[in-house]
Amino acid sequence: MAADTTTKLAVLIDADNARPAIVEGLLAEIAKYGTAHVKRIYGDWTKPDLNGWKEVLLRLSIQPIQQFRYTVGKNATDSAMIIDAMDLLYTERFDGFCIVSSDSDFTRLASRIRESGRIVYGFGERKTPEPFRTACDKFIYTEVLAGSAETEPETAPKQRSAKELRSDAHLLSLLRHAIEAASDDTGWASLGAIGSIINKQSPDFDSRNYGYAKLSGLVNGIGLFETEERHIGNGKHLYVRPRAGSR
């Protein structure tokens, strides 16, 4: 996917619910969707457990925002991040927001930003509650981000076999319904349109969750669909349809 550098993004990171090891992969992923004009990270920087962030923030020019804990058991960091997000939203300078956290407290924030016509990209671990994931336009699990320590062989998603993929009823249902919705009279559907429809139905869908770098690889890996490359204009486009008798 070619990045649209005209898309202005605000990146807001919850330091209590993210790890320094993901940041390079995170920023590389964000660059696919636009340019990060604001990069802020929120936390109580007097706490020793956030010391690991210091070198990363200096090197990648991420602005730390100090938020003291007012009382035990209350997360003042979340409140500060939400307030800043709304302030940035009201400036009308940004096309989208990247919220980096595995905390469901940001669910309403994501919904509110989308109500204003801005796109929301969420980033968090697999433990992220479903309400926050589905409140975003797109949600990316940090475990799949290239270049992060979380993509070590023992934790990175393994590439699933054709048998494993075919036994995933939810995955097959997503693909088949998307192909049907995007198909022409001959049954062929553009892979780009398929991906767009799936993402609207399931914001946390990502072929990398199944061990495939691209949707085309996942579709071919299942073995139930046939593909055809077409030259349209100056580019190549992949089209997909179910194999005969594969339903």
Side-chain angles (χ1 to χ4, degrees):
M1 180 196 316
D4 182 357
T5 56
T6 64
T7 300
K8 298 178 181 179
L9 300 174
V11 180
L12 307 177
I13 305 171
D14 176 8
D16 295 325
N17 280 286
R19 303 179 189 180
I22 70 160
V23 175
E24 289 194 22
L26 169 72
L27 294 180
E29 182 74 16
I30 289 171
K32 297 178 182 178
Y33 309 114
T35 301
H37 283 244
V38 165
K39 292 181 288 184
R40 297 179 185 175
I41 184 167
Y42 298 77
D44 183 353
W45 302 102
T46 64
K47 293 164 55 181
D49 54 333
L50 295 185
N51 288 342
W53 281 102
K54 183 176 180 181
E55 180 185 346
V56 175
L57 303 187
L58 291 172
R59 180 161 44 87
L60 298 175
S61 189
I62 301 173
Q63 180 185 4
I65 305 296
Q66 170 63 27
Q67 181 58 56
F68 290 104
R69 246 193 225 183
Y70 297 122
T71 184
V72 176
K74 300 294 183 181
N75 198 336
T77 297
D78 290 2
S79 298
M81 189 166 152
I82 291 169
I83 291 170
D84 269 13
M86 294 307 297
D87 285 344
L88 292 170
L89 177 64
Y90 291 144
T91 68
E92 299 186 349
R93 291 167 42 210
F94 299 95
D95 303 300
F97 287 74
C98 300
I99 302 173
V100 186
S101 179
S102 302
D103 193 335
S104 63
D105 287 349
F106 296 104
T107 301
R108 182 66 188 111
L109 173 63
S111 298
R112 177 64 182 83
I113 293 172
R114 291 182 69 189
E115 287 171 5
S116 297
R118 304 298 191 270
I119 194 167
V120 177
Y121 300 102
F123 297 83
E125 298 177 1
R126 292 184 183 277
K127 67 180 182 181
T128 305
E130 184 179 10
F132 177 41
R133 300 198 314 265
T134 55
C136 300
D137 289 283
K138 184 171 181 62
F139 191 90
I140 298 99
Y141 293 120
T142 54
E143 289 89 343
V144 306
L145 297 179
S148 78
E150 302 194 16
T151 57
E152 292 298 320
E154 65 270 18
T155 59
K158 302 294 189 299
Q159 187 174 96
R160 297 190 191 178
S161 66
K163 182 179 179 181
E164 291 172 318
L165 294 172
R166 292 179 187 183
S167 66
D168 189 329
H170 177 64
L171 170 63
L172 294 183
S173 177
L174 275 176
L175 285 169
R176 284 172 171 155
H177 283 115
I179 291 171
E180 183 177 354
S183 64
D184 58 21
D185 292 339
T186 64
W188 288 101
S190 162
L191 186 67
I194 294 169
S196 178
I197 292 170
I198 291 176
N199 189 63
K200 290 176 182 176
Q201 295 177 332
S202 182
D204 62 349
F205 175 85
D206 194 320
S207 61
R208 292 172 295 184
N209 296 334
Y210 303 90
Y212 292 83
K214 296 182 178 181
L215 179 57
S216 57
L218 175 61
V219 168
N220 285 322
I222 295 173
L224 296 176
F225 306 96
E226 56 180 314
T227 60
E228 177 180 279
E229 190 174 77
R230 300 180 185 178
H231 293 266
I232 301 175
N234 295 324
K236 296 179 181 179
H237 298 266
L238 197 67
Y239 281 72
V240 180
R241 71 177 178 187
R243 292 187 186 278
S246 64
R247 290 186 176 276

